[in-house]
Amino acid sequence: MGLNYGSFAAVCLAGFIVFCCLVVLFSYFVGKRKDRGNALTMSAERRLEEDDKYALSRIGKDSVYSYFVTEKPVGWLAAFATLGIQVAILAFFVMASEANLQEDTIDIQFTWKCPRDSDVCKDKADLTKAGWFIFSMLMIAFLAKDMINGCKLIYHSSKVRHTLGARIRYFIGGMGLCSITLYALYVSTVYNSAIATSNTAIIANSVIVLFIMEIDEYIFSAVDAINEKWTEHAADKEVSEMKDEIARQRAQIESQQEEIDNQRKDLGMLREAVEKIQESQTIVVAVTASASDSESAECEEEQDTQELKAAASSNTISQCTAHASAAETGSDADTGKEGTTNEMKDENALQADEIVLEKARPT
């Protein structure tokens, strides 16, 4: 008795797991040999964070499978439960594709018709190569990303720098993603081969299988809607920390801006005070200059007064000298003539005194 579709899928999955284990072991020993003697340039904790971030980006942080790269036991349970649900749903399509005529649950379609009045049987199916081409494009477009990311995650688990726990987490996550992707491709191919009778039917069946592949994301969205803390991963925490740091720096910048504004106001007040001081200094300088000008004018007037006094005294001395010399010479002028001369001398002295007083009088 040959293998049925379910047994064949199990054998293929076991072979794929063994092959991936061999690839990981080979890559691990090759990497260990290359890294021998090379010093690490990054701390172990920082490197582990970077590896977790890379693994999360490969498996997708919007999927419940992202718990495979974390250390949350409840998350692992949810991821395995989701994987089991998807496998169980796809298993119904495999069982419905079995060519077992004794079962009433099969969906297989018989397209060959053999009329009683003819020896020639005809295929009534409308499925063409165009339908299979569209099917292939749909499978590649929707499943290629998960397959590639799963393979990268499996290879990532072979790095020498990882701890044993991290290596197991990455390997199981990548293996789970690749396994469910290959199983969906296998189920869709087998089911369409069994029941698709037209191009539209093969497209509709393919879309149904691809929708089942989105269950992990819908479950993750439901968990996130229930409680956001259950969906916080290492990368999300880092983003949250970055947001907090940005908010803190923004608040610091605002406080510094306020300090700058206050300093600006203080500078404005100081500038006004300096201007007032400069104005007062200008007034003081002007007053001092006017005072010095008045003092210099007074000094000049005093000098002029002293000069006039000196001139008047010199005239008086000269007159006295002349009078004495005239008396000594014994001039015998008459009494009336002497009186007239004395009066003239007295008048000249009075005029000189008046001139001195007028110049000494302040203007």
Side-chain angles (χ1 to χ4, degrees):
M1 183 177 178
L3 294 175
N4 56 16
Y5 289 139
S7 301
F8 181 76
V11 172
C12 290
L13 179 61
F16 179 72
I17 293 175
V18 173
F19 174 76
C20 290
C21 290
L22 294 176
V23 171
V24 168
L25 289 175
F26 177 78
S27 300
Y28 172 77
F29 286 113
V30 171
K32 189 175 182 179
R33 184 175 181 181
K34 287 182 179 179
D35 294 341
R36 184 177 299 171
N38 294 334
L40 296 177
T41 58
M42 189 184 298
S43 64
E45 184 178 358
R46 180 63 177 171
R47 187 178 291 274
L48 182 59
E49 291 178 358
E50 293 293 332
D51 290 336
D52 287 341
K53 185 176 180 180
Y54 174 80
L56 189 63
S57 66
R58 294 300 92 192
I59 202 169
K61 67 177 183 179
D62 294 332
S63 172
V64 74
Y65 293 148
S66 60
Y67 288 112
F68 280 132
V69 299
T70 65
E71 297 179 353
K72 298 179 180 179
V74 179
W76 275 63
L77 182 61
F80 276 118
T82 303
L83 186 62
I85 291 171
Q86 288 180 316
V87 171
I89 294 174
L90 293 175
F92 285 108
F93 289 90
V94 174
M95 291 186 292
S97 304
E98 296 288 350
N100 188 1
L101 301 179
Q102 296 178 358
E103 296 290 338
D104 295 333
T105 58
I106 63 174
D107 295 335
I108 191 170
Q109 298 291 326
F110 298 97
T111 60
W112 287 92
K113 303 297 181 181
C114 300
R116 292 181 181 180
D117 57 352
S118 176
D119 296 335
V120 179
C121 295
K122 295 180 180 180
D123 188 4
K124 299 296 183 178
D126 296 329
L127 181 61
T128 62
K129 293 182 179 179
W132 283 105
F133 177 77
I134 296 172
F135 164 78
S136 302
M137 292 297 101
L138 287 174
M139 293 295 107
I140 293 173
F142 284 91
L143 300 180
K145 178 183 176 181
D146 291 340
M147 189 66 192
I148 294 172
N149 287 333
C151 292
K152 286 185 176 181
L153 195 55
I154 291 173
Y155 177 75
H156 185 64
S157 66
S158 65
K159 300 296 182 180
V160 179
R161 63 176 179 268
H162 296 155
T163 61
L164 180 61
R167 195 175 295 117
I168 293 174
R169 288 188 285 113
Y170 300 154
F171 180 79
I172 292 177
M175 182 58 62
L177 189 60
C178 289
S179 299
I180 193 62
T181 302
L182 291 175
Y183 189 56
L185 178 62
Y186 172 76
V187 169
S188 184
T189 303
V190 169
Y191 189 72
N192 283 312
S193 299
I195 72 166
T197 59
S198 63
N199 293 334
T200 55
I202 194 172
I203 295 173
N205 296 334
S206 301
V207 171
I208 292 172
V209 174
L210 293 175
F211 177 76
I212 296 172
M213 293 296 295
E214 301 296 326
I215 291 177
D216 57 314
E217 296 183 1
Y218 286 106
I219 293 177
F220 185 85
S221 299
V223 173
D224 183 69
I226 295 173
N227 192 344
E228 294 182 355
K229 293 182 178 180
W230 295 348
T231 58
E232 288 181 353
H233 303 319
D236 294 332
K237 290 181 180 179
E238 183 176 353
V239 172
S240 178
E241 291 176 357
M242 290 175 63
K243 289 181 179 179
D244 294 339
E245 181 67 19
I246 291 172
R248 188 184 64 80
Q249 290 181 358
R250 186 175 296 171
Q252 185 176 0
I253 290 171
E254 291 178 354
S255 64
Q256 290 178 354
Q257 187 66 33
E258 291 180 358
E259 291 180 359
I260 291 172
D261 293 337
N262 294 330
Q263 290 177 359
R264 229 173 243 172
K265 292 179 181 178
D266 295 338
L267 288 174
M269 295 174 64
L270 288 174
R271 190 179 290 111
E272 292 178 357
V274 169
E275 290 177 355
K276 290 180 179 179
I277 292 172
Q278 289 178 351
E279 290 178 358
S280 62
Q281 288 178 352
T282 304
I283 294 171
V284 170
V285 169
V287 171
T288 304
S290 62
S292 62
D293 292 338
S294 62
E295 289 178 358
S296 62
E298 291 178 355
C299 291
E300 290 178 355
E301 289 179 357
E302 289 180 356
Q303 290 178 357
D304 294 337
T305 303
Q306 291 177 358
E307 289 177 356
L308 290 174
K309 288 181 177 180
S313 61
S314 62
N315 290 330
T316 304
I317 293 171
S318 62
Q319 289 177 358
C320 293
T321 304
H323 182 70
S325 61
E328 289 177 355
T329 54
S331 111
D332 296 327
D334 56 350
T335 306
K337 196 173 184 177
E338 290 177 358
T340 303
T341 303
N342 292 330
E343 289 178 359
M344 290 177 65
K345 290 180 181 179
D346 294 333
E347 288 177 359
N348 291 330
L350 290 174
Q351 289 178 358
D353 294 333
E354 288 177 357
I355 292 170
V356 171
L357 292 175
E358 286 178 357
K359 288 187 177 182
R361 187 180 301 160
T363 58

